[in-house]
Amino acid sequence: MQKTALTRRTLLLPAVVILLGLSIFPLLFSLALSFGDWGLGRGVPYEWRGLSNYAALLADGRYRNAAFNTVLYVVITVSVQYILGLALAWGLFLRPPGGRIFRVFFIFPMMLAPVAVGYMWRLMFQSRIGAANFFLAALGFEPVRWLSARWFAMSVVMMAEIWQWTPFMFLFLYAALMNVPTSPIDAALVDGASGFQVFRHIVLPMLMPISIAVIMLRAVEAVKILDTVYVITHGGPGNTTESLTMYGYNVGLQYFNLGYAAAIAYTLLLVVVAIAVPVIIFIKKEVSYT
Amino acid sequence: MIRLNSVQRWSLFVALVLWAIFVIFPLYWMVTTTFKLRADIYAGPALIPWVDFAPTLEHWARVVARYQQVTRAMANSAVAGLASAAAATFIGGMAGYGLTRFQYKLGFLRNRDIAFWILSNRVLPPIVLVLPIFIMFRTAGLVDSRAGLAIVYTMFNLPIAAWLMLEYFKQIPIDLDESAKVDGASYMQILTRIALPLARPGIIATFLVCLMFAWNEFIYALILTFSRAQTLPLVVAGQATQHGPQWWDIAVMATITIAPLLLVTILLGNRLIAGLTAGWGQ
């Protein structure tokens, strides 16, 4: 009996120790940092500042801009990814010719390093040698300096994100479609429903719980956006396309203002928690019923 | 099953082909760029090798020869990736196995709460954790080392590894354990003779998923390494911002970075998909 208890604890111990040491402890450390000031490398000891970092955020235009950009990145990319992913999943569900080959093409972008994907899209929209401007020229248009204009630059970032993560939506929606019971679909078809009616009134409602889950999972990841912004625009022109993670990185590791960086990071964490907690409760409920 | 007439069938086909082209084209553009002479890169939209441009290995040869940085980054990525994927799969597997076979009580937390606590670590934004980890690593002398990266990636992959392994062990009926116990098998024998062989596809899938995340990871490497231990994504990103971009060289490095996963996806696509969607939608 005693040996069982020992085995039991040993199994869980390493995972718990690692997560406590490298996840929970830094989490609390960051919280403490966000309430103070610590000039790492300048030899300034930690000094408690209360809520002053958070108060400073409210008046910081660069922070507001980064927060606004992050919201735009998340809302636009995740909704486009969902719509396209759903369309692709439904398209393959209808068994087009060559379905199996399509599947590999529809999935692989999500496996690739976001940095390389970002670079790939930067190359597409580079003003002198990018494919986009070559095609514009072929159609008789003037070349566009995509990455020198804020909204064009953000569109390129969003394009890269949509390219990379639509596959994620497709993958999980398609897996869910494959598990949808076929009898209601067949019954509706016998009653003379069209393909679109079946999709709209039978399949879409059945996919609702999974849709919410994938949208939230994507949103939680997208809020942390850094890689593609870093490579494609590096926050520029100026700081106009910066995301929250990128701003936090700049403040913390370029200017070494750890307290302020931690405060930025913590506001991001609050957003993540606000999105994730309902999903986790939701998934938990689903799991307990099965 | 919904039946399409041939017009619908083929318009659907064309729509899917258009998406496939959108997916393939940027990749094709980048990979062909690595084989173009500078003059061809600037000349216009050269698309087809031997027709639009004469392919050259010049950039590949230069990158491999001149940038010692690239070969070292490959080694760093491989070592940190393999070590952390193995560690995360092993430690996550232990936790997953324990949580499906024993009853736990940590304070008010029961098995399901513990599993969710482990998983919930996955959603924490790295920017929150990485500043303290940087300070901790500086104290411990782990900044800019492969070991440090491997440790962080193990933590970073552990939630998803534990979760996937839990899903796989859950699918192994507990009756098998019970009957083995009746036959006098020890816990160790049950684990090595029953659970591990049956979970093998799950272990492989979990390992691959962790390896992918570690190989592609950027922000921890960006902050915790600066020269010796830089990984491939960092070398790619660094080239683009430091000295005026050498597009052709970066294209080679980016291609090197994505090539292994492209290959794995094509060869093991279905297994990886099964790994990612384990326990999904049932």
Side-chain angles (χ1 to χ4, degrees):
Chain A
M1 200 60 223
Q2 210 149 29
K3 205 175 153 207
T4 323
L6 190 68
T7 320
R8 199 178 63 178
R9 282 182 199 146
T10 318
L11 284 171
L12 214 49
L13 193 67
V16 171
V17 167
I18 288 177
L19 289 177
L20 282 179
L22 286 170
S23 182
I24 301 302
F25 175 69
L27 190 66
L28 299 174
F29 197 149
S30 244
L31 184 64
L33 278 177
S34 78
F35 288 119
D37 183 32
W38 193 10
L40 191 71
R42 283 180 275 135
V44 182
Y46 177 78
E47 191 188 325
W48 175 264
R49 288 276 182 82
L51 285 169
S52 70
N53 285 329
Y54 291 95
L57 282 179
L58 294 175
D60 181 349
R62 188 171 168 187
Y63 172 78
R64 273 204 305 268
N65 177 63
F68 175 72
N69 287 345
T70 307
V71 171
L72 268 192
Y73 286 133
V74 173
V75 171
I76 294 178
T77 61
V78 174
S79 40
V80 174
Q81 286 158 10
Y82 175 72
I83 292 166
L84 288 173
L86 185 63
L88 292 174
W90 179 247
L92 273 205
F93 183 71
L94 296 176
R95 297 202 219 155
R100 283 188 72 82
I101 301 169
F102 278 126
R103 211 170 66 155
V104 180
F105 283 123
F106 290 178
I107 282 165
F108 80 81
M110 66 182 280
M111 312 290 182
L112 309 182
V115 167
V117 170
Y119 173 72
M120 205 174 80
W121 281 95
R122 191 171 162 187
L123 193 61
M124 287 283 290
F125 284 92
Q126 210 279 335
S127 54
R128 290 273 340 260
I129 61 165
N133 276 351
F134 285 144
F135 288 130
L136 281 185
L139 296 172
F141 290 99
E142 288 291 303
V144 177
R145 301 198 50 178
W146 300 97
L147 299 177
S148 309
R150 180 188 185 186
W151 300 111
F152 276 138
M154 283 184 78
S155 311
V156 175
V157 172
M158 288 180 192
M159 185 101 82
E161 290 284 320
I162 289 164
W163 185 89
Q164 175 147 49
W165 296 112
T166 296
F168 176 90
M169 296 289 195
F170 161 76
L171 175 62
F172 286 95
L173 290 168
Y174 184 70
L177 264 181
M178 284 319 196
N179 284 315
V180 159
T182 52
S183 48
I185 297 178
D186 293 335
L189 288 173
V190 169
D191 291 344
S194 72
F196 180 74
Q197 284 171 325
V198 168
F199 174 74
R200 174 71 189 75
H201 297 290
I202 298 174
V203 175
L204 200 56
M206 283 198 283
L207 287 182
M208 229 2 128
I210 274 139
S211 298
I212 293 169
V214 284
I215 287 172
M216 295 301 148
L217 281 174
R218 242 351 279 153
V220 160
E221 290 298 312
V223 168
K224 309 172 194 168
I225 180 169
L226 172 73
D227 312 22
T228 43
V229 181
Y230 187 96
V231 175
I232 295 173
T233 72
H234 208 70
N239 301 314
T240 51
T241 62
E242 206 169 44
S243 70
L244 274 182
T245 296
M246 179 122 190
Y247 185 37
Y249 161 75
N250 281 330
V251 170
L253 286 122
Q254 303 300 112
Y255 317 145
F256 283 103
N257 191 345
L258 293 184
Y260 199 52
I264 295 168
Y266 248 82
T267 60
L268 186 65
L269 177 68
L270 287 183
V271 177
V272 168
V273 170
I275 305 172
V277 165
V279 181
I280 286 183
I281 292 170
F282 172 82
I283 294 174
K284 211 165 164 176
K285 222 186 270 167
E286 292 284 297
V287 170
S288 57
Y289 288 141
T290 53
Chain B
M1 202 54 231
I2 295 167
R3 294 197 183 285
L4 303 174
N5 63 40
S6 69
V7 176
Q8 288 170 325
R9 236 170 101 80
W10 289 102
S11 23
L12 174 64
F13 180 75
V14 169
L16 295 178
V17 167
L18 284 179
W19 178 262
I21 291 172
F22 173 72
V23 166
I24 292 295
F25 186 75
L27 190 65
Y28 181 77
W29 183 257
M30 183 175 80
V31 174
T32 48
T33 297
T34 67
F35 298 114
K36 291 177 196 168
L37 289 166
R38 271 176 229 205
D40 289 324
I41 291 176
Y42 281 101
L47 290 177
I48 308 158
W50 289 288
V51 178
D52 290 339
F53 65 94
T56 168
L57 285 174
E58 187 193 300
H59 309 309
W60 283 87
R62 188 178 50 247
V63 168
V64 172
R66 199 203 291 163
Y67 295 92
Q68 191 200 18
Q69 199 190 7
V70 174
T71 42
R72 193 177 54 195
M74 258 162 95
N76 290 338
S77 279
V79 169
L82 292 170
S84 68
T89 307
F90 183 71
I91 296 170
M94 282 168 66
Y97 184 73
L99 286 169
T100 54
R101 294 297 186 272
F102 300 101
Q103 295 304 314
Y104 288 93
K105 235 168 102 181
L106 290 179
F108 61 90
L109 298 176
R110 303 302 178 85
N111 284 34
R112 192 149 32 94
D113 309 309
I114 298 170
F116 275 100
W117 173 72
I118 292 176
L119 184 64
S120 65
N121 282 283
R122 184 65 172 75
V123 305
L124 296 177
I127 188 72
V128 178
L129 306 180
V130 73
L131 299 171
I133 290 177
F134 177 74
I135 297 169
M136 289 157 67
F137 273 21
R138 235 171 56 126
T139 316
L142 284 169
V143 171
D144 200 26
S145 73
R146 283 177 185 173
L149 266 191
I151 291 170
V152 171
Y153 289 169
T154 303
M155 174 278 287
F156 166 77
N157 271 324
L158 191 53
I160 205 100
W163 186 257
L164 288 173
M165 292 308 298
L166 180 85
E167 289 293 332
Y168 286 110
F169 281 128
K170 219 176 1 190
Q171 286 163 20
I172 300 170
I174 201 130
D175 299 356
L176 286 178
D177 295 34
E178 300 296 339
S179 50
K181 219 181 292 174
V182 171
D183 294 342
S186 71
Y187 279 107
M188 212 50 210
Q189 283 170 322
I190 295 174
L191 180 65
T192 54
R193 301 266 171 81
I194 296 173
L196 287 183
L198 286 174
R200 210 172 71 175
I203 294 170
I204 294 171
T206 305
F207 180 81
L208 284 176
V209 169
C210 292
L211 188 59
M212 173 183 79
F213 280 125
W215 183 268
N216 293 343
E217 203 284 327
F218 179 60
I219 182 170
Y220 285 113
L222 175 67
I223 292 171
L224 298 175
T225 68
F226 40 86
S227 65
R228 277 186 309 139
Q230 278 200 326
T231 57
L232 273 175
L234 236 87
V235 171
V236 173
Q239 299 294 327
T241 56
Q242 284 163 8
H243 31 83
Q246 307 283 307
W247 297 106
W248 30 91
D249 289 354
I250 314 171
V252 172
M253 294 174 199
T255 305
I256 293 173
T257 307
I258 59 176
L261 280 164
L262 213 52
L263 220 64
V264 168
T265 313
I266 291 165
L267 294 178
L268 300 174
N270 290 328
R271 185 172 286 182
L272 209 58
I273 290 163
L276 286 164
T277 53
W280 185 265
Q282 275 124 22

